[in-house]
Amino acid sequence: MSSEHAVTSPEITFMPEHESGTKKIWRTFWVLSFLTIIELSLGLAIYNIHQAAEPNASLVLFFKGVVCILTLAKAYYIVSIFMHLGDEIRNFIMTILVPLSLFVWFLTAFLIDGTSWKNLRHRYMDKHETEQVAPAATEKGAKD
């Protein structure tokens, strides 16, 4: 019987391993720092390109796209590590990601539609307004 008491159960003798936790924290720190430094350097490059005499619009657009992709990667990493979403089951992750992606699609669709409507409005309203304003201005000049 005394030999049974000498064996301790894992629940009682459990000691958390701090080494693996600190490694994970440092890895997270370095990954996020690296991505942030890349984003900041791309932002500085975009600023310098805009300061040039003839800025290259396609290069700026490419850099902005890369910054958006890096920002999404950082957001994914932060949610996965700090909010522990990476440790959840697949169905729960999809419950979070599918509505989020639909919301992003919703915003993108309305921004594109709004820009299209603005461009069409300026194209046709400017032509319509000049036709109405011009005769009124000539009549006023004729009366004076």
Side-chain angles (χ1 to χ4, degrees):
M1 261 218 200
S2 63
S3 64
E4 289 179 23
H5 292 293
V7 177
T8 58
S9 66
E11 293 83 14
I12 296 172
T13 59
F14 175 73
M15 298 296 286
E17 295 180 22
H18 294 291
E19 187 177 331
S20 66
T22 39
K23 284 183 182 179
K24 188 175 182 181
I25 291 170
W26 279 110
R27 186 184 64 212
T28 303
F29 170 76
W30 287 115
V31 166
L32 292 176
S33 296
F34 180 72
L35 289 174
T36 303
I37 289 170
I38 291 174
E39 285 178 338
L40 290 174
S41 59
L42 286 173
L44 184 62
I46 291 170
Y47 176 76
N48 289 331
I49 290 171
H50 278 296
Q51 297 300 321
E54 294 181 21
N56 188 350
S58 59
L59 186 62
V60 169
L61 188 62
F62 172 74
F63 281 164
K64 287 181 180 180
V66 170
V67 168
C68 287
I69 291 170
L70 288 174
T71 303
L72 289 174
K74 273 176 47 176
Y76 170 77
Y77 196 73
I78 288 170
V79 168
S80 175
I81 298 296
F82 293 117
M83 301 175 92
H84 307 287
L85 194 60
D87 301 331
E88 296 294 337
I89 60 173
R90 187 173 186 271
N91 288 339
F92 183 70
I93 294 172
M94 289 299 132
T95 303
I96 302 293
L97 291 181
V98 169
L100 177 65
S101 61
L102 289 173
F103 182 70
V104 168
W105 170 77
F106 175 77
L107 288 177
T108 304
F110 273 95
L111 286 173
I112 291 170
D113 185 51
T115 303
S116 172
W117 184 83
K118 180 187 78 167
N119 292 338
L120 288 173
R121 187 178 127 220
H122 285 300
R123 182 184 310 160
Y124 293 113
M125 290 301 287
D126 289 343
K127 191 184 296 184
H128 184 67
E129 288 174 0
T130 54
E131 291 173 357
Q132 288 183 350
V133 171
T138 55
E139 290 176 10
K140 185 178 179 184
K143 290 180 182 178
D144 291 336

